[in-house]
Amino acid sequence: MRHFLLRSGLLLLLGFGTIDQAVLAQEVSLELGPDEIARNQSFTITITVHNERLKDYDDFPEIEGFRKLSTTSSSNTTIINGQISSSQSTIQQYAALREGTFRLKPFTMTVNGKKLSSSGKSIKVGPPSQRTTRSDPFSNNIFDEYFGRSSGEEEFMDVKADAFLALTTDKDEVYLGEGFTTTLAFYVSEANRAELEFYDLSKQVSEATKLISPTNCWEESFSIENIKGELVVLNKKRYMRYKLLQSTYYPWNLEPIELNSVPLQLIKYKVSKKRSFFGRSKKEDFQTFYSLPKIINVKDLPPHPLKDQVAVGDYYLKEKVSPETTRTGESFSYSFRIFGEGNISAINNPEIPEDEIFDFYPPNVQQNIKRGNGKVSGVKQFNYYGIPNEPGTYNLNDYFSWVFFNTKLDQYDTLSSNIIMQVSGESKRNLAISSNDLGSFYDIIDIEDNKLTSRIDDVYTKIFANIFILIMLVLSLIFIFRK
């Protein structure tokens, strides 16, 4: 009977609080723990909402040198002179990994739609503190038993986790150069009763990346900044899925791609065998989950003259020329844009045949890659400048075409230009030839005698000339001195 009265009293107070709290202004606050703690003490960050229910809030920040523990909640209702006020708090606890001084960087959290900012602080972690116990023969009483406290050692039991770690791919077999997407995710059943928490996640994900990444592939990695659960259904069972890693790989050779097993360690709490008024107490423990290894087979492309050069994927063409009508000797711009899904970085520029009708200059290349929804897509754009030398009507597909292997059709495909250009004016072909004229010196090469001649006579001529110059120099000096 006393148990029932105590519970009813608490509920009555909470009920009164919800009636009048709407008339009070909502206040949201953020509080940091102390500047110094012992190694065996926890640091806390507390968010509190006054006169309003705590509806939603951002993730608490990570602190270097600490790992996150569980969060706890508390609420308080007071009545002063008939005025009812309430507050609700959530406390994030952190455990220090080692002794030293650490920095909590400035951060911002949104609580119930209101932004709270903190400038951070330095946290000094010292040696573990000594816990002292007092022996009191009258310490055990009816309230200790009621609230679940006893002098004996508490026993805990393990609760089986209905969860697993999985490494999945969207394809089991790919062509050489074709991409496949790999996802590492943790799945927790809605029926799970074990309390689990991620532990040192950034380090574990970094190690998992090294284990998964194959050496014979080009990688396009998806950026996962916030790990949030999403509801999925597997075999008619509902799970919350937490994506940890996602990348698309493009094989370079025909060797099978081996994806290794990956471990993931989580904090798992054991629960006390003895239930108290506030529920069961918990004890922190660890459990490691492992993904299964996987092999992706790579098959060769069908025979083709350009088999070793073509890109692989699903692509389409967008093109533009400016202007479509021009004159000989005047430049025009042409854009050949390849859109689609595949390894955008591996797309090569089209091979343009050379002739005397057009002069095309090497292209400027622009590339944009998008990674999202488990796919890698984008555009690679080739911007050309050309000058026509002959008037006429020309189909640009005689110059611009690009061959690739279409993974949707399982065959080779070609993207070709559909633009027809109109060129007017006089022919510039002869002008181009004359501009390359090397001059009359090279014109007489074919008619000149190619027989070898002796240069001995020229040597005697130089000797006589030098003697004559020397005589003239001596006579000049004699004339000057006499003067």
Side-chain angles (χ1 to χ4, degrees), residues 216-282:
N216 59 332
C217 292
W218 174 270
E219 179 182 0
E220 291 287 352
S221 179
F222 295 74
S223 177
I224 300 179
E225 296 180 355
N226 296 319
I227 298 177
K228 296 183 178 180
E230 54 182 340
L231 182 64
V232 296
V233 179
L234 301 175
N235 298 325
K236 298 182 180 181
K237 190 173 180 179
R238 293 159 65 91
Y239 290 87
M240 290 299 292
R241 178 176 66 183
Y242 299 88
K243 288 184 181 180
L244 307 177
L245 278 174
Q246 193 169 50
S247 293
T248 297
Y249 298 102
Y250 301 90
W252 288 338
N253 53 44
L254 296 174
E255 296 178 4
I257 301 167
E258 299 180 0
L259 303 175
N260 299 316
S261 173
V262 176
L264 180 67
Q265 189 179 53
L266 277 82
I267 298 173
K268 181 184 177 184
Y269 290 93
K270 292 182 178 181
V271 296
S272 173
K273 291 184 178 181
K274 190 173 183 180
R275 182 184 295 274
S276 69
F277 173 77
F278 294 105
R280 299 182 187 273
S281 58
K282 300 180 296 183

Side-chain angles (χ1 to χ4, degrees), residues 2-286:
R2 183 180 59 185
H3 294 189
F4 174 76
L5 289 176
L6 181 58
R7 290 173 181 265
S8 301
L10 289 172
L11 292 174
L12 187 60
L13 284 176
L14 292 175
F16 286 153
T18 56
I19 294 174
D20 294 337
Q21 66 183 6
V23 300
L24 300 175
Q26 175 185 340
E27 297 178 8
V28 183
S29 61
L30 187 151
E31 181 182 357
L32 304 182
D35 297 340
E36 296 186 16
I37 60 173
R39 173 70 176 79
N40 56 349
Q41 294 176 337
S42 61
F43 180 79
T44 59
I45 298 180
T46 305
I47 53 174
T48 304
V49 176
H50 299 274
N51 304 318
E52 180 63 44
R53 185 171 63 88
L54 182 57
K55 301 174 184 176
D56 56 78
Y57 55 89
D58 291 342
D59 293 336
F60 284 89
E62 299 288 340
I63 307 177
E64 184 181 359
F66 289 78
R67 64 177 174 85
K68 285 183 178 179
L69 298 177
S70 61
T71 58
T72 58
S73 300
S74 65
S75 59
N76 182 39
T77 302
T78 58
I79 304 176
I80 301 175
N81 297 327
Q83 183 70 45
I84 300 175
S85 63
S86 65
S87 65
Q88 186 175 353
S89 300
T90 293
I91 305 166
Q92 174 66 64
Q93 297 180 335
Y94 297 83
L97 299 176
R98 58 187 183 276
E99 296 178 19
T101 302
F102 305 93
R103 176 67 183 168
L104 169 59
K105 296 179 180 179
F107 65 94
T108 301
M109 290 184 65
T110 301
V111 181
N112 282 10
K114 183 177 180 180
K115 285 191 175 181
L116 301 178
S117 297
S118 171
S119 58
K121 68 187 311 182
S122 293
I123 308 168
K124 184 178 180 180
V125 180
S129 62
Q130 299 295 324
R131 293 192 175 98
T132 59
T133 59
R134 292 185 303 172
S135 177
D136 185 356
F138 303 101
S139 60
N140 291 336
N141 53 41
I142 189 173
F143 292 101
D144 290 330
E145 296 177 1
Y146 182 80
F147 288 102
R149 298 191 296 265
S150 63
S151 59
E153 184 177 351
E154 195 169 5
E155 294 184 17
F156 293 85
M157 61 182 179
D158 188 28
V159 180
K160 186 178 180 181
D162 190 0
F164 63 93
L165 180 68
L167 180 65
T168 58
T169 60
D170 62 341
K171 301 169 187 175
D172 295 326
E173 186 179 56
V174 293
Y175 281 105
L176 179 64
E178 180 184 4
F180 66 94
T181 300
T182 297
T183 304
L184 179 67
F186 188 67
Y187 295 78
V188 182
S189 167
E190 282 193 340
N192 176 63
R193 291 295 177 263
E195 187 172 346
L196 300 167
E197 287 184 14
F198 289 119
Y199 162 70
D200 204 2
L201 200 54
S202 59
K203 181 180 179 181
Q204 291 197 78
V205 169
S206 177
E207 293 296 328
T209 303
K210 298 175 184 177
L211 286 173
I212 295 174
S213 299
T215 57
N216 59 332
C217 292
W218 174 270
E219 179 182 0
E220 291 287 352
S221 179
F222 295 74
S223 177
I224 300 179
E225 296 180 355
N226 296 319
I227 298 177
K228 296 183 178 180
E230 54 182 340
L231 182 64
V232 296
V233 179
L234 301 175
N235 298 325
K236 298 182 180 181
K237 190 173 180 179
R238 293 159 65 91
Y239 290 87
M240 290 299 292
R241 178 176 66 183
Y242 299 88
K243 288 184 181 180
L244 307 177
L245 278 174
Q246 193 169 50
S247 293
T248 297
Y249 298 102
Y250 301 90
W252 288 338
N253 53 44
L254 296 174
E255 296 178 4
I257 301 167
E258 299 180 0
L259 303 175
N260 299 316
S261 173
V262 176
L264 180 67
Q265 189 179 53
L266 277 82
I267 298 173
K268 181 184 177 184
Y269 290 93
K270 292 182 178 181
V271 296
S272 173
K273 291 184 178 181
K274 190 173 183 180
R275 182 184 295 274
S276 69
F277 173 77
F278 294 105
R280 299 182 187 273
S281 58
K282 300 180 296 183
K283 179 182 179 181
E284 184 179 293
D285 198 5
F286 294 92

